[in-house]
Amino acid sequence: MSHQKLMLAKNVAWAADMIRRDADFFTRISKIQNPETLWIGCADSRVPAEKITVSLPGELFVHRNIANLVCTDDTNAASVIEYAVKVLKVRHIVVCGHYGCGGVRAALMPLDPDLPAVNRHLQPLRELAARHATTLLSCDSFDARVDRFAEINVQHQLTALRRMPVIRTAEQALTLHGWIFSLEDGRLQVLPQDSAPTQPIAAIKFA
Ligand SMILES: [Zn+2]
């Protein structure tokens, strides 16, 4: 059986199981969505928001992109945040990065000429890396640098969120959370909210 056929077959079984557990589940969620949380995470296939938090359909409003970036000139991310805050009235926003992030790693390496869209997307992360050059260069290994930068990135995206007018003028109380996921043990950790100290942009190559 192809992977796609298997996916469809698993869907049939899953839907039947959901109805067996809660006969009205789909009737209920088909009427309205009322998620409490906006999840902003990495597109990495190994960090599926609902799976790792054991959330049901309807519980998370999700935006994922490579390296979980929040850029105000990114219409996709900005529209999700705007809709989540203004229409869905979410009360929590989680920015979730992960250790071993390929996007974060790529931002610390030379540009790949074969990936122009990825390069454009990761440009803000390259600039962030330059601002944290001293911290990153003090890491013991490149892998450690990638993981430290994944943490810094989450904290930076939280700061970017806090500065957005849609967040600052939200009518509801909003709590922002910075989390990081470990691929090695499947655990989420809560990161301190304060941004790491930044340094002036330095012309330093990371790889
Ligand atoms: Zn990633």
Side-chain angles (χ1 to χ4, degrees):
M1 192 184 284
S2 72
H3 184 53
Q4 280 63 38
K5 278 191 178 168
L6 190 61
M7 287 163 70
L8 292 169
K10 282 183 176 174
N11 166 258
V12 170
W14 171 78
D17 187 52
M18 291 296 287
I19 290 168
R20 189 178 53 75
R21 291 164 189 262
D22 179 353
D24 297 328
F25 182 76
F26 291 110
T27 312
R28 222 169 38 244
I29 67 164
S30 66
K31 292 195 172 80
I32 193 170
Q33 67 163 331
N34 191 25
E36 255 195 47
T37 300
L38 165 61
W39 174 281
I40 299 172
C42 183
D44 193 302
S45 62
R46 301 163 296 178
V47 195
E50 292 87 349
K51 196 84 176 172
I52 65 175
T53 60
V54 196
S55 298
L56 289 169
E59 291 184 338
L60 298 179
F61 196 61
V62 174
H63 175 76
R64 290 169 64 184
N65 64 50
I66 293 175
N68 40 273
L69 303 187
V70 177
C71 296
T72 47
D73 58 353
D74 172 358
T75 307
N76 190 349
S79 63
V80 169
I81 294 162
E82 183 178 272
Y83 191 79
V85 173
K86 286 192 170 180
V87 180
L88 297 176
K89 305 283 185 192
V90 296
R91 308 185 81 81
H92 299 270
I93 302 179
V94 172
V95 176
C96 182
H98 66 102
Y99 294 126
C101 180
V104 168
R105 178 178 292 269
L108 296 174
M109 294 174 67
L111 293 170
D112 184 337
D114 285 338
L115 300 174
V118 173
N119 290 340
R120 280 197 305 280
H121 175 71
L122 293 178
Q123 184 53 35
L125 209 44
R126 290 181 178 280
E127 291 164 14
L128 183 67
R131 293 211 297 276
H132 291 273
T134 307
T135 302
L136 295 173
L137 288 171
S138 71
C139 294
D140 292 340
S141 66
F142 187 68
D143 285 346
R145 189 179 299 162
V146 171
D147 288 348
R148 180 71 190 103
F149 192 36
E151 296 173 344
I152 290 170
N153 179 39
V154 168
Q155 289 164 325
H156 177 78
Q157 303 312 325
L158 287 172
T159 302
L161 269 175
R162 279 195 207 94
R163 288 184 181 144
M164 292 177 74
V166 69
I167 302 292
R168 285 196 280 110
T169 61
E171 290 172 356
Q172 71 276 36
L174 261 177
T175 308
L176 273 50
H177 309 264
W179 293 355
I180 195 144
F181 180 72
S182 170
L183 297 169
E184 292 181 358
D185 63 9
R187 298 287 297 270
L188 286 161
Q189 287 177 54
V190 177
L191 290 171
Q193 294 259 348
D194 295 328
S195 293
T198 63
Q199 292 105 27
I201 291 177
I204 297 175
K205 278 196 175 354
F206 289 94

